[in-house]
Amino acid sequence: MQISAKADYAVRALAELATDAGRPLTCEAIATSQDIPFRFLKGVFRDLRQAGLVRSQRGCEGGYWLARDPAEMTLADIVLAVDGAFLTLRGEQLDGLGYHGPAAGLPGVWRGMEEHIRQVLTSTALSDLVGERLAA
């Protein structure tokens, strides 16, 4: 199983925003702080903005802010915003997946894995991830 680079970068970028909510952060600053390729991160922020998880402002005083309280934003929200699914099989959704013969039970295993992933991601808020830093 792999976690996509987009999902990893998105969570790390939003963790940066959650720990410094007093001012907007530039994509460049986040990329440098988290050692994320800048051009890739710009695309990630486009997806996050379209999903309503961040807001942005242009100009010399511009940058990105969280659009919602970190306690109300789950890791599931973030992963779905950039990947569209928790788990895929060869890039395909698990819906309608069916095998024949001895492998007929395997789609149920994959769906069970997806449900466990969903439970972990929906029960973890961004504030849980950065909680120790937010309390300081």
Side-chain angles (χ1 to χ4, degrees):
M1 189 178 131
Q2 291 185 327
I3 297 167
S4 75
K6 283 180 84 171
D8 180 54
Y9 293 164
V11 172
R12 290 165 53 196
L14 293 184
E16 284 285 329
L17 291 177
T19 58
D20 197 357
R23 61 184 174 90
L25 295 177
T26 65
C27 196
E28 295 90 349
I30 295 168
T32 299
S33 175
Q34 287 295 317
D35 196 25
I36 297 172
F38 171 71
R39 288 181 181 256
F40 196 104
L41 188 59
K42 289 205 55 92
V44 170
F45 268 112
R46 181 184 61 246
D47 292 343
L48 294 171
R49 192 175 64 248
Q50 288 175 346
L53 299 180
V54 298
R55 54 191 178 93
S56 63
Q57 177 179 320
R58 294 179 186 228
C60 60
E61 297 290 324
Y64 292 92
W65 291 272
L66 292 178
R68 298 185 352 212
D69 185 315
E72 298 174 6
M73 188 183 308
T74 67
L75 298 189
D77 297 328
I78 301 166
V79 170
L80 289 174
V82 297
D83 284 347
F86 297 118
L87 183 68
T88 61
L89 180 67
R90 296 183 305 273
E92 299 293 324
Q93 299 284 331
L94 300 181
D95 301 343
L97 183 65
Y99 296 140
H100 305 287
L106 192 53
V109 173
W110 299 149
R111 288 185 195 104
M113 283 179 53
E114 180 183 38
E115 183 55 34
H116 284 296
I117 293 167
R118 179 185 314 276
Q119 288 174 2
V120 169
L121 295 177
T122 56
S123 66
T124 307
L126 184 60
S127 61
D128 296 332
L129 182 66
V130 298
E132 292 175 17
R133 297 184 78 187
L134 290 175

